mmCIF file of all heavy atoms in Angstrom:
data_model
loop_
_atom_site.group_PDB
_atom_site.id
_atom_site.type_symbol
_atom_site.label_atom_id
_atom_site.label_comp_id
_atom_site.label_asym_id
_atom_site.label_seq_id
_atom_site.Cartn_x
_atom_site.Cartn_y
_atom_site.Cartn_z
ATOM 1 N N ILE O 251 0.831 -1.210 0.000
ATOM 2 C CA ILE O 251 0.000 0.000 0.000
ATOM 3 C C ILE O 251 0.860 1.253 0.000
ATOM 4 O O ILE O 251 0.679 2.148 -0.822
ATOM 5 C CB ILE O 251 -0.953 -0.006 1.209
ATOM 6 C CG1 ILE O 251 -1.974 -1.135 1.053
ATOM 7 C CG2 ILE O 251 -1.668 1.341 1.362
ATOM 8 C CD1 ILE O 251 -2.827 -1.367 2.263
ATOM 9 N N PHE O 252 1.829 1.319 0.910
ATOM 10 C CA PHE O 252 2.590 2.558 1.066
ATOM 11 C C PHE O 252 3.528 2.827 -0.111
ATOM 12 O O PHE O 252 3.628 3.975 -0.579
ATOM 13 C CB PHE O 252 3.400 2.539 2.361
ATOM 14 C CG PHE O 252 4.181 3.797 2.589
ATOM 15 C CD1 PHE O 252 3.546 4.959 2.997
ATOM 16 C CD2 PHE O 252 5.551 3.843 2.359
ATOM 17 C CE1 PHE O 252 4.260 6.140 3.187
ATOM 18 C CE2 PHE O 252 6.275 5.010 2.543
ATOM 19 C CZ PHE O 252 5.620 6.163 2.967
ATOM 20 N N ALA O 253 4.218 1.807 -0.604
ATOM 21 C CA ALA O 253 5.249 2.019 -1.618
ATOM 22 C C ALA O 253 4.709 2.614 -2.919
ATOM 23 O O ALA O 253 5.263 3.608 -3.417
ATOM 24 C CB ALA O 253 6.000 0.715 -1.887
ATOM 25 N N PRO O 254 3.638 2.052 -3.529
ATOM 26 C CA PRO O 254 3.147 2.686 -4.766
ATOM 27 C C PRO O 254 2.602 4.095 -4.538
ATOM 28 O O PRO O 254 2.767 4.965 -5.407
ATOM 29 C CB PRO O 254 2.042 1.736 -5.243
ATOM 30 C CG PRO O 254 1.679 0.910 -4.070
ATOM 31 C CD PRO O 254 2.899 0.819 -3.231
ATOM 32 N N ILE O 255 1.975 4.329 -3.383
ATOM 33 C CA ILE O 255 1.481 5.672 -3.074
ATOM 34 C C ILE O 255 2.651 6.633 -2.916
ATOM 35 O O ILE O 255 2.610 7.782 -3.383
ATOM 36 C CB ILE O 255 0.608 5.650 -1.806
ATOM 37 C CG1 ILE O 255 -0.692 4.888 -2.076
ATOM 38 C CG2 ILE O 255 0.298 7.063 -1.330
ATOM 39 C CD1 ILE O 255 -1.590 4.737 -0.865
ATOM 40 N N TYR O 256 3.734 6.181 -2.280
ATOM 41 C CA TYR O 256 4.924 7.016 -2.111
ATOM 42 C C TYR O 256 5.456 7.478 -3.468
ATOM 43 O O TYR O 256 5.678 8.675 -3.696
ATOM 44 C CB TYR O 256 5.994 6.236 -1.349
ATOM 45 C CG TYR O 256 7.303 6.972 -1.170
ATOM 46 C CD1 TYR O 256 7.536 7.746 -0.034
ATOM 47 C CD2 TYR O 256 8.308 6.899 -2.135
ATOM 48 C CE1 TYR O 256 8.738 8.425 0.133
ATOM 49 C CE2 TYR O 256 9.512 7.574 -1.972
ATOM 50 C CZ TYR O 256 9.721 8.329 -0.835
ATOM 51 O OH TYR O 256 10.913 9.008 -0.675
ATOM 52 N N PHE O 257 5.668 6.526 -4.374
ATOM 53 C CA PHE O 257 6.202 6.887 -5.683
ATOM 54 C C PHE O 257 5.238 7.787 -6.449
ATOM 55 O O PHE O 257 5.657 8.724 -7.146
ATOM 56 C CB PHE O 257 6.507 5.623 -6.496
ATOM 57 C CG PHE O 257 7.768 4.925 -6.081
ATOM 58 C CD1 PHE O 257 7.718 3.705 -5.428
ATOM 59 C CD2 PHE O 257 9.004 5.488 -6.343
ATOM 60 C CE1 PHE O 257 8.884 3.061 -5.043
ATOM 61 C CE2 PHE O 257 10.177 4.860 -5.963
ATOM 62 C CZ PHE O 257 10.112 3.637 -5.309
ATOM 63 N N PHE O 258 3.945 7.535 -6.298
ATOM 64 C CA PHE O 258 2.951 8.344 -7.003
ATOM 65 C C PHE O 258 2.959 9.784 -6.508
ATOM 66 O O PHE O 258 2.907 10.728 -7.300
ATOM 67 C CB PHE O 258 1.564 7.714 -6.817
ATOM 68 C CG PHE O 258 0.460 8.463 -7.512
ATOM 69 C CD1 PHE O 258 0.593 8.867 -8.832
ATOM 70 C CD2 PHE O 258 -0.713 8.767 -6.840
ATOM 71 C CE1 PHE O 258 -0.427 9.556 -9.485
ATOM 72 C CE2 PHE O 258 -1.737 9.459 -7.480
ATOM 73 C CZ PHE O 258 -1.586 9.853 -8.803
ATOM 74 N N ILE O 259 3.047 9.970 -5.204
ATOM 75 C CA ILE O 259 3.060 11.333 -4.653
ATOM 76 C C ILE O 259 4.350 12.049 -5.033
ATOM 77 O O ILE O 259 4.349 13.259 -5.312
ATOM 78 C CB ILE O 259 2.867 11.310 -3.124
ATOM 79 C CG1 ILE O 259 1.543 10.629 -2.756
ATOM 80 C CG2 ILE O 259 2.911 12.725 -2.562
ATOM 81 C CD1 ILE O 259 0.325 11.256 -3.384
ATOM 82 N N VAL O 260 5.466 11.331 -5.056
ATOM 83 C CA VAL O 260 6.722 11.934 -5.519
ATOM 84 C C VAL O 260 6.563 12.386 -6.972
ATOM 85 O O VAL O 260 7.023 13.481 -7.352
ATOM 86 C CB VAL O 260 7.892 10.938 -5.394
ATOM 87 C CG1 VAL O 260 9.143 11.470 -6.089
ATOM 88 C CG2 VAL O 260 8.188 10.651 -3.924
ATOM 89 N N TYR O 261 5.901 11.571 -7.772
ATOM 90 C CA TYR O 261 5.651 11.949 -9.168
ATOM 91 C C TYR O 261 4.777 13.204 -9.246
ATOM 92 O O TYR O 261 5.079 14.130 -9.994
ATOM 93 C CB TYR O 261 4.981 10.795 -9.908
ATOM 94 C CG TYR O 261 4.363 11.209 -11.226
ATOM 95 C CD1 TYR O 261 5.155 11.386 -12.356
ATOM 96 C CD2 TYR O 261 2.989 11.442 -11.321
ATOM 97 C CE1 TYR O 261 4.595 11.793 -13.562
ATOM 98 C CE2 TYR O 261 2.428 11.841 -12.517
ATOM 99 C CZ TYR O 261 3.227 12.011 -13.634
ATOM 100 O OH TYR O 261 2.671 12.420 -14.815
ATOM 101 N N ILE O 262 3.703 13.248 -8.466
ATOM 102 C CA ILE O 262 2.817 14.410 -8.466
ATOM 103 C C ILE O 262 3.580 15.676 -8.082
ATOM 104 O O ILE O 262 3.409 16.742 -8.679
ATOM 105 C CB ILE O 262 1.628 14.190 -7.503
ATOM 106 C CG1 ILE O 262 0.675 13.146 -8.071
ATOM 107 C CG2 ILE O 262 0.877 15.491 -7.261
ATOM 108 C CD1 ILE O 262 -0.492 12.820 -7.163
ATOM 109 N N ALA O 263 4.445 15.542 -7.079
ATOM 110 C CA ALA O 263 5.221 16.703 -6.626
ATOM 111 C C ALA O 263 6.115 17.254 -7.724
ATOM 112 O O ALA O 263 6.477 18.432 -7.699
ATOM 113 C CB ALA O 263 6.058 16.323 -5.413
ATOM 114 N N SER O 264 6.451 16.412 -8.681
ATOM 115 C CA SER O 264 7.370 16.839 -9.747
ATOM 116 C C SER O 264 6.647 17.397 -10.965
ATOM 117 O O SER O 264 7.300 17.879 -11.893
ATOM 118 C CB SER O 264 8.230 15.652 -10.188
ATOM 119 O OG SER O 264 7.445 14.715 -10.926
ATOM 120 N N THR O 265 5.324 17.321 -11.000
ATOM 121 C CA THR O 265 4.585 17.726 -12.191
ATOM 122 C C THR O 265 4.245 19.208 -12.173
ATOM 123 O O THR O 265 4.021 19.804 -11.123
ATOM 124 C CB THR O 265 3.269 16.923 -12.313
ATOM 125 O OG1 THR O 265 2.452 17.196 -11.170
ATOM 126 C CG2 THR O 265 3.547 15.437 -12.408
ATOM 127 N N LYS O 266 4.141 19.791 -13.361
ATOM 128 C CA LYS O 266 3.767 21.193 -13.480
ATOM 129 C C LYS O 266 2.292 21.411 -13.146
ATOM 130 O O LYS O 266 1.897 22.505 -12.794
ATOM 131 C CB LYS O 266 4.062 21.678 -14.894
ATOM 132 C CG LYS O 266 5.535 21.754 -15.225
ATOM 133 C CD LYS O 266 5.761 22.294 -16.619
ATOM 134 C CE LYS O 266 7.241 22.394 -16.928
ATOM 135 N NZ LYS O 266 7.483 22.921 -18.301
ATOM 136 N N GLN O 267 1.494 20.320 -13.283
ATOM 137 C CA GLN O 267 0.063 20.460 -13.015
ATOM 138 C C GLN O 267 -0.212 20.850 -11.576
ATOM 139 O O GLN O 267 -1.285 21.346 -11.256
ATOM 140 C CB GLN O 267 -0.667 19.142 -13.326
ATOM 141 C CG GLN O 267 -0.732 18.817 -14.808
ATOM 142 C CD GLN O 267 0.411 17.906 -15.211
ATOM 143 O OE1 GLN O 267 1.504 18.036 -14.669
ATOM 144 N NE2 GLN O 267 0.169 17.010 -16.149
ATOM 145 N N SER O 268 0.742 20.616 -10.695
ATOM 146 C CA SER O 268 0.531 20.920 -9.283
ATOM 147 C C SER O 268 0.872 22.372 -8.940
ATOM 148 O O SER O 268 0.667 22.813 -7.825
ATOM 149 C CB SER O 268 1.369 19.981 -8.417
ATOM 150 O OG SER O 268 2.738 20.129 -8.721
ATOM 151 N N ASP O 269 1.387 23.133 -9.916
ATOM 152 C CA ASP O 269 1.792 24.506 -9.630
ATOM 153 C C ASP O 269 0.633 25.369 -9.158
ATOM 154 O O ASP O 269 0.797 26.248 -8.317
ATOM 155 C CB ASP O 269 2.421 25.147 -10.876
ATOM 156 C CG ASP O 269 3.809 24.579 -11.151
ATOM 157 O OD1 ASP O 269 4.325 23.869 -10.273
ATOM 158 O OD2 ASP O 269 4.347 24.834 -12.239
ATOM 159 N N PHE O 270 -0.557 25.115 -9.718
ATOM 160 C CA PHE O 270 -1.680 25.968 -9.356
ATOM 161 C C PHE O 270 -2.034 25.834 -7.878
ATOM 162 O O PHE O 270 -2.504 26.783 -7.255
ATOM 163 C CB PHE O 270 -2.911 25.637 -10.216
ATOM 164 C CG PHE O 270 -3.721 24.506 -9.690
ATOM 165 C CD1 PHE O 270 -4.785 24.728 -8.813
ATOM 166 C CD2 PHE O 270 -3.420 23.198 -10.034
ATOM 167 C CE1 PHE O 270 -5.530 23.670 -8.319
ATOM 168 C CE2 PHE O 270 -4.166 22.154 -9.546
ATOM 169 C CZ PHE O 270 -5.227 22.379 -8.681
ATOM 170 N N LEU O 271 -1.809 24.649 -7.304
ATOM 171 C CA LEU O 271 -2.102 24.467 -5.881
ATOM 172 C C LEU O 271 -1.178 25.337 -5.046
ATOM 173 O O LEU O 271 -1.598 25.994 -4.095
ATOM 174 C CB LEU O 271 -1.947 23.004 -5.483
ATOM 175 C CG LEU O 271 -2.190 22.674 -4.004
ATOM 176 C CD1 LEU O 271 -3.626 23.016 -3.621
ATOM 177 C CD2 LEU O 271 -1.880 21.221 -3.722
ATOM 178 N N TYR O 272 0.083 25.370 -5.429
ATOM 179 C CA TYR O 272 1.038 26.232 -4.730
ATOM 180 C C TYR O 272 0.631 27.697 -4.864
ATOM 181 O O TYR O 272 0.641 28.458 -3.901
ATOM 182 C CB TYR O 272 2.451 26.020 -5.294
ATOM 183 C CG TYR O 272 3.347 27.215 -5.108
ATOM 184 C CD1 TYR O 272 3.715 27.636 -3.831
ATOM 185 C CD2 TYR O 272 3.792 27.952 -6.210
ATOM 186 C CE1 TYR O 272 4.518 28.744 -3.658
ATOM 187 C CE2 TYR O 272 4.592 29.056 -6.041
ATOM 188 C CZ TYR O 272 4.951 29.450 -4.758
ATOM 189 O OH TYR O 272 5.742 30.548 -4.592
ATOM 190 N N ALA O 273 0.240 28.093 -6.083
ATOM 191 C CA ALA O 273 -0.151 29.479 -6.303
ATOM 192 C C ALA O 273 -1.361 29.849 -5.457
ATOM 193 O O ALA O 273 -1.436 30.938 -4.879
ATOM 194 C CB ALA O 273 -0.458 29.695 -7.779
ATOM 195 N N HIS O 274 -2.310 28.923 -5.362
ATOM 196 C CA HIS O 274 -3.516 29.175 -4.577
ATOM 197 C C HIS O 274 -3.178 29.306 -3.095
ATOM 198 O O HIS O 274 -3.617 30.242 -2.420
ATOM 199 C CB HIS O 274 -4.510 28.043 -4.804
ATOM 200 C CG HIS O 274 -5.700 28.118 -3.898
ATOM 201 N ND1 HIS O 274 -6.708 29.056 -4.052
ATOM 202 C CD2 HIS O 274 -6.042 27.377 -2.817
ATOM 203 C CE1 HIS O 274 -7.612 28.881 -3.115
ATOM 204 N NE2 HIS O 274 -7.245 27.861 -2.352
ATOM 205 N N LEU O 275 -2.362 28.376 -2.608
ATOM 206 C CA LEU O 275 -2.024 28.384 -1.188
ATOM 207 C C LEU O 275 -1.155 29.581 -0.831
ATOM 208 O O LEU O 275 -1.355 30.228 0.202
ATOM 209 C CB LEU O 275 -1.304 27.077 -0.812
ATOM 210 C CG LEU O 275 -2.149 25.806 -0.837
ATOM 211 C CD1 LEU O 275 -1.258 24.600 -0.553
ATOM 212 C CD2 LEU O 275 -3.277 25.873 0.180
ATOM 213 N N SER O 276 -0.195 29.892 -1.689
ATOM 214 C CA SER O 276 0.723 30.984 -1.366
ATOM 215 C C SER O 276 0.009 32.329 -1.374
ATOM 216 O O SER O 276 0.310 33.206 -0.560
ATOM 217 C CB SER O 276 1.893 30.999 -2.350
ATOM 218 O OG SER O 276 1.410 31.191 -3.666
ATOM 219 N N SER O 277 -0.938 32.503 -2.290
ATOM 220 C CA SER O 277 -1.656 33.773 -2.348
ATOM 221 C C SER O 277 -2.662 33.910 -1.226
ATOM 222 O O SER O 277 -2.980 35.012 -0.786
ATOM 223 C CB SER O 277 -2.357 33.916 -3.700
ATOM 224 O OG SER O 277 -3.337 32.891 -3.841
ATOM 225 N N LYS O 278 -3.163 32.781 -0.758
ATOM 226 C CA LYS O 278 -4.204 32.820 0.266
ATOM 227 C C LYS O 278 -3.632 32.869 1.664
ATOM 228 O O LYS O 278 -4.166 33.548 2.550
ATOM 229 C CB LYS O 278 -5.117 31.601 0.112
ATOM 230 C CG LYS O 278 -6.333 31.631 1.032
ATOM 231 C CD LYS O 278 -7.260 30.464 0.709
ATOM 232 C CE LYS O 278 -8.496 30.497 1.613
ATOM 233 N NZ LYS O 278 -9.411 29.383 1.320
ATOM 234 N N TYR O 279 -2.546 32.159 1.905
ATOM 235 C CA TYR O 279 -2.045 32.016 3.273
ATOM 236 C C TYR O 279 -0.692 32.693 3.508
ATOM 237 O O TYR O 279 -0.266 32.838 4.640
ATOM 238 C CB TYR O 279 -1.924 30.530 3.629
ATOM 239 C CG TYR O 279 -3.247 29.801 3.596
ATOM 240 C CD1 TYR O 279 -3.553 28.926 2.554
ATOM 241 C CD2 TYR O 279 -4.194 30.001 4.601
ATOM 242 C CE1 TYR O 279 -4.767 28.262 2.519
ATOM 243 C CE2 TYR O 279 -5.409 29.339 4.572
ATOM 244 C CZ TYR O 279 -5.689 28.471 3.528
ATOM 245 O OH TYR O 279 -6.901 27.811 3.503
ATOM 246 N N PHE O 280 0.017 33.059 2.459
ATOM 247 C CA PHE O 280 1.341 33.625 2.644
ATOM 248 C C PHE O 280 1.444 34.977 1.933
ATOM 249 O O PHE O 280 0.685 35.275 1.014
ATOM 250 C CB PHE O 280 2.425 32.682 2.084
ATOM 251 C CG PHE O 280 2.368 31.310 2.666
ATOM 252 C CD1 PHE O 280 1.963 30.240 1.881
ATOM 253 C CD2 PHE O 280 2.708 31.077 3.985
ATOM 254 C CE1 PHE O 280 1.901 28.977 2.417
ATOM 255 C CE2 PHE O 280 2.652 29.810 4.518
ATOM 256 C CZ PHE O 280 2.244 28.755 3.742
ATOM 257 N N LYS O 281 2.389 35.734 2.335
ATOM 258 C CA LYS O 281 2.656 36.989 1.655
ATOM 259 C C LYS O 281 3.241 36.703 0.272
ATOM 260 O O LYS O 281 3.873 35.686 0.055
ATOM 261 C CB LYS O 281 3.640 37.831 2.469
ATOM 262 C CG LYS O 281 3.084 38.279 3.815
ATOM 263 C CD LYS O 281 4.128 39.083 4.570
ATOM 264 C CE LYS O 281 3.573 39.548 5.916
ATOM 265 N NZ LYS O 281 4.568 40.335 6.688
ATOM 266 N N LYS O 282 3.021 37.618 -0.643
ATOM 267 C CA LYS O 282 3.485 37.403 -2.003
ATOM 268 C C LYS O 282 5.000 37.274 -2.063
ATOM 269 O O LYS O 282 5.543 36.622 -2.950
ATOM 270 C CB LYS O 282 3.023 38.554 -2.890
ATOM 271 C CG LYS O 282 1.511 38.563 -3.123
ATOM 272 C CD LYS O 282 1.106 39.660 -4.094
ATOM 273 C CE LYS O 282 -0.399 39.621 -4.349
ATOM 274 N NZ LYS O 282 -0.819 40.691 -5.308
ATOM 275 N N SER O 283 5.672 37.902 -1.131
ATOM 276 C CA SER O 283 7.130 37.844 -1.145
ATOM 277 C C SER O 283 7.672 36.505 -0.637
ATOM 278 O O SER O 283 8.851 36.217 -0.775
ATOM 279 C CB SER O 283 7.708 38.967 -0.279
ATOM 280 O OG SER O 283 7.239 38.835 1.059
ATOM 281 N N PHE O 284 6.769 35.709 -0.042
ATOM 282 C CA PHE O 284 7.196 34.420 0.520
ATOM 283 C C PHE O 284 7.258 33.390 -0.609
ATOM 284 O O PHE O 284 6.252 33.089 -1.241
ATOM 285 C CB PHE O 284 6.210 33.970 1.598
ATOM 286 C CG PHE O 284 6.664 32.726 2.329
ATOM 287 C CD1 PHE O 284 7.609 32.799 3.335
ATOM 288 C CD2 PHE O 284 6.145 31.480 1.999
ATOM 289 C CE1 PHE O 284 8.016 31.676 4.014
ATOM 290 C CE2 PHE O 284 6.553 30.350 2.665
ATOM 291 C CZ PHE O 284 7.495 30.448 3.674
ATOM 292 N N ASN O 285 8.413 32.870 -0.871
ATOM 293 C CA ASN O 285 8.592 31.940 -1.975
ATOM 294 C C ASN O 285 8.852 30.541 -1.421
ATOM 295 O O ASN O 285 9.740 30.352 -0.608
ATOM 296 C CB ASN O 285 9.764 32.386 -2.848
ATOM 297 C CG ASN O 285 9.857 31.547 -4.118
ATOM 298 O OD1 ASN O 285 8.894 30.886 -4.485
ATOM 299 N ND2 ASN O 285 11.012 31.594 -4.763
ATOM 300 N N ILE O 286 8.067 29.592 -1.872
ATOM 301 C CA ILE O 286 8.219 28.209 -1.399
ATOM 302 C C ILE O 286 7.909 27.257 -2.541
ATOM 303 O O ILE O 286 7.004 27.503 -3.340
ATOM 304 C CB ILE O 286 7.296 27.943 -0.193
ATOM 305 C CG1 ILE O 286 7.571 26.548 0.393
ATOM 306 C CG2 ILE O 286 5.835 28.084 -0.570
ATOM 307 C CD1 ILE O 286 6.868 26.320 1.709
ATOM 308 N N SER O 287 8.670 26.212 -2.652
ATOM 309 C CA SER O 287 8.478 25.231 -3.714
ATOM 310 C C SER O 287 7.408 24.228 -3.323
ATOM 311 O O SER O 287 7.478 23.607 -2.256
ATOM 312 C CB SER O 287 9.802 24.503 -3.995
ATOM 313 O OG SER O 287 9.573 23.351 -4.768
ATOM 314 N N PHE O 288 6.432 24.058 -4.203
ATOM 315 C CA PHE O 288 5.383 23.063 -3.948
ATOM 316 C C PHE O 288 5.986 21.672 -3.828
ATOM 317 O O PHE O 288 5.587 20.872 -2.980
ATOM 318 C CB PHE O 288 4.350 23.098 -5.083
ATOM 319 C CG PHE O 288 3.337 21.992 -4.994
ATOM 320 C CD1 PHE O 288 2.205 22.131 -4.192
ATOM 321 C CD2 PHE O 288 3.514 20.799 -5.683
ATOM 322 C CE1 PHE O 288 1.279 21.114 -4.101
ATOM 323 C CE2 PHE O 288 2.591 19.777 -5.588
ATOM 324 C CZ PHE O 288 1.464 19.936 -4.802
ATOM 325 N N GLN O 289 6.950 21.362 -4.684
ATOM 326 C CA GLN O 289 7.576 20.044 -4.655
ATOM 327 C C GLN O 289 8.221 19.776 -3.312
ATOM 328 O O GLN O 289 8.084 18.679 -2.753
ATOM 329 C CB GLN O 289 8.618 19.925 -5.767
ATOM 330 C CG GLN O 289 9.246 18.523 -5.845
ATOM 331 C CD GLN O 289 10.218 18.405 -6.993
ATOM 332 O OE1 GLN O 289 10.740 19.405 -7.484
ATOM 333 N NE2 GLN O 289 10.467 17.184 -7.436
ATOM 334 N N ILE O 290 8.905 20.770 -2.763
ATOM 335 C CA ILE O 290 9.558 20.589 -1.465
ATOM 336 C C ILE O 290 8.519 20.374 -0.364
ATOM 337 O O ILE O 290 8.658 19.483 0.480
ATOM 338 C CB ILE O 290 10.450 21.796 -1.138
ATOM 339 C CG1 ILE O 290 11.644 21.840 -2.097
ATOM 340 C CG2 ILE O 290 10.933 21.739 0.313
ATOM 341 C CD1 ILE O 290 12.529 23.058 -1.926
ATOM 342 N N VAL O 291 7.462 21.193 -0.377
ATOM 343 C CA VAL O 291 6.422 21.068 0.651
ATOM 344 C C VAL O 291 5.786 19.688 0.608
ATOM 345 O O VAL O 291 5.642 19.009 1.637
ATOM 346 C CB VAL O 291 5.350 22.167 0.480
ATOM 347 C CG1 VAL O 291 4.167 21.902 1.408
ATOM 348 C CG2 VAL O 291 5.943 23.534 0.763
ATOM 349 N N LEU O 292 5.392 19.258 -0.583
ATOM 350 C CA LEU O 292 4.721 17.964 -0.705
ATOM 351 C C LEU O 292 5.658 16.817 -0.334
ATOM 352 O O LEU O 292 5.255 15.860 0.335
ATOM 353 C CB LEU O 292 4.205 17.779 -2.136
ATOM 354 C CG LEU O 292 3.240 16.607 -2.363
ATOM 355 C CD1 LEU O 292 2.077 16.650 -1.392
ATOM 356 C CD2 LEU O 292 2.738 16.603 -3.800
#
């Protein structure tokens, strides 16, 4: 159970499709000057 989910989430973290989630979270919860990588967070 854990191993395929682990690899899948690592894959998701590397995709460009996930950028919008970072943009949404950063604009809603963080200051615009705060820069954080979605891949690192995930």
Side-chain angles (χ1 to χ4, degrees):
I251 293 171
F252 181 75
I255 292 177
Y256 177 92
F257 283 110
F258 180 48
I259 301 303
V260 170
Y261 165 79
I262 289 177
S264 72
T265 61
K266 292 182 179 180
Q267 290 95 325
S268 60
D269 287 349
F270 85 91
L271 178 62
Y272 155 65
H274 172 73
L275 291 175
S276 60
S277 63
K278 187 174 181 180
Y279 298 106
F280 304 110
K281 295 179 179 180
K282 291 184 178 180
S283 59
F284 186 80
N285 188 18
I286 186 170
S287 166
F288 173 84
Q289 184 177 22
I290 292 175
V291 171
L292 192 53

